[in-house]
Each structure stands twice: as C-alpha cells, then as structure tokens.
Amino acid sequence: DFMNTRRILLLTIVNALIIYSSFAQLSLDSFSAHVGTIRSTHSEHSVYSEYQYALYPEMQIGGSLFLPHFKWTTYWGYWSDGITEPLRVADMVTYSGQTHIIGARLTFLPAKVAPEFPLPVGIFGGFAHHFTSVQYVGGFGFDGKPGHDFTQSLNTFELGMNVDVSIIGPINIRGEIHQLFPLGIESTNQTQKGRRAYKVGLALRM
C-alpha cells in the first residue's frame, strides 16, 4: 500500500545517506530510474504460465567509492505478480504476492582501469532484502480450508552487469541485468533459484 511504499522508500534514502556520511572518500553523484521485468517466485507449473514475470521498476542512487573505477549503489525496486482472481485449479489456494526490494551494490568499471577496454560496462555484486506481502485471493486446499494473508522476507546475493551509453550531456541510457541467489534457508527453495531481472532506464550523472 501507499504508506508501506513510502516507508520503504524513506528507508532506502536513509540507508544511502548513512553510507554517504560514513566515508569521506564516498561521493553521491548519480541518480537513475529503470523499468523492466523480473522473474516472479511462482513455480514453473503451467497454471502460473501467465505470471512467470512481472513488471519491475527500480530507482537507484550512487557514486564513486574511494577509486574512480569502483561505484556504490543503493536501490529500491518493486514487483507484483498481478493475480487478482482465483486460478481455476481444484483443491488449490490462490495467493498474490507483492515485493519491495532494498539493496546495495559495488560496481567495477573496467574502462576506468584500461581505457582501451572496448565496452562501457560495469560488473557488480551486492546484497538485497526482499519484503514480501502475500494476499489470499481465493480457493481451498485439499483440507477444504481457505488460505490467509501473510508476510515473509528473503535475503539474496546478486551478480550482474550494466551498460551505460551517453545520449546527451550528463544523461545516459542504461541497460542492466542481474541474477539473484537466495541465502539462508531459502537457498534450497527451487522457486527462488534462477531468478533474473532485466531493466533499461535513464541515469543522470551530477
């Protein structure tokens, strides 16, 4: 809901400011907005074929970290699977999930070290926390009981790559892909494995 989204956005901004104020060598010099798609947490069962991927907007702020070829980023993203009606499957409870993601990344820029490097790419790794709200939509289980709303959380490690291309002045167009790796007890959950996000957006360098 709106209040929850605002609270999570505020937490993201506060997190970035804490990092910024903690290191004298840290700069805050970029802001970017992206939109793309992310693999949902539904299984690959055919009943979920229309809900395997979800729209995924993401906001990032960041800057240089100690050296020009290292960049820090903190971000907030959100996705919803879009399920609004019970799925037509006997003896199955239908749930709908919405997730806020807050994370931090460290990006290495090869071209800053080797100017002859041919591509404007960044290679990054980081960690993220996923806040998930699950709503009962309808249906009954094998025991004849309905479902119920609940919340859950997940920590992930991520690896990815982005490409920045200047289009005008300080504005870049950015393409980005990252892979999520579940940590802790969820590391054995098959629906959490192999999840990726694909995004494109605009980045402003100040």
Side-chain angles (χ1 to χ4, degrees):
D1 58 19
F2 174 74
M3 291 299 295
N4 191 41
T5 300
R6 188 172 65 176
R7 185 162 54 249
I8 291 173
L9 281 172
L10 180 61
L11 180 60
T12 304
I13 294 171
V14 170
N15 181 36
L17 291 177
I18 290 173
I19 295 174
Y20 177 70
S21 62
S22 298
F23 299 96
Q25 298 93 334
L26 196 85
S27 70
L28 174 58
D29 57 23
S30 70
F31 169 81
S32 59
H34 307 80
V35 66
T37 184
I38 189 170
R39 177 67 167 80
S40 75
T41 54
H42 291 301
S43 72
E44 296 184 355
H45 192 285
S46 59
V47 71
Y48 293 114
S49 60
E50 297 181 14
Y51 306 104
Q52 295 295 305
Y53 285 87
L55 181 68
Y56 180 66
E58 186 179 281
M59 309 290 287
Q60 303 178 4
I61 57 175
S64 297
L65 180 64
F66 307 123
L67 298 171
H69 50 272
F70 286 115
K71 300 290 184 180
W72 67 270
T73 300
T74 186
Y75 72 92
W76 164 84
Y78 171 81
W79 66 269
S80 172
D81 59 27
I83 296 177
T84 59
E85 297 180 353
L87 300 176
R88 297 181 178 180
V89 179
D91 300 320
M92 190 185 85
V93 175
T94 299
Y95 289 103
S96 176
Q98 301 84 39
T99 298
H100 293 270
I101 305 174
I102 293 177
R105 301 167 179 153
L106 177 64
T107 302
F108 171 64
L109 304 173
K112 293 288 187 179
V113 179
E116 67 277 10
F117 192 82
L119 298 173
V121 301
I123 302 167
F124 63 81
F127 294 91
H129 187 74
H130 304 238
F131 303 85
T132 300
S133 174
V134 181
Q135 284 81 44
Y136 168 64
V137 177
F140 299 89
F142 286 107
D143 57 4
K145 295 181 179 180
H148 60 277
D149 297 352
F150 63 93
T151 59
Q152 60 186 23
S153 61
L154 170 72
N155 294 312
T156 57
F157 173 69
E158 59 186 39
L159 290 174
M161 182 177 70
N162 55 37
V163 178
D164 270 44
V165 178
S166 178
I167 54 175
I168 181 171
I171 300 176
N172 290 0
I173 186 168
R174 177 179 298 166
E176 192 168 271
I177 178 174
H178 73 269
Q179 175 84 46
L180 301 170
F181 301 91
L183 300 174
I185 192 171
E186 289 293 333
S187 63
T188 60
N189 188 335
Q190 293 300 316
T191 63
Q192 297 288 356
K193 293 183 177 181
R195 298 181 60 218
R196 292 193 184 103
Y198 307 86
K199 296 155 289 176
V200 64
L202 294 176
L204 173 64
R205 298 207 171 274
M206 298 174 283

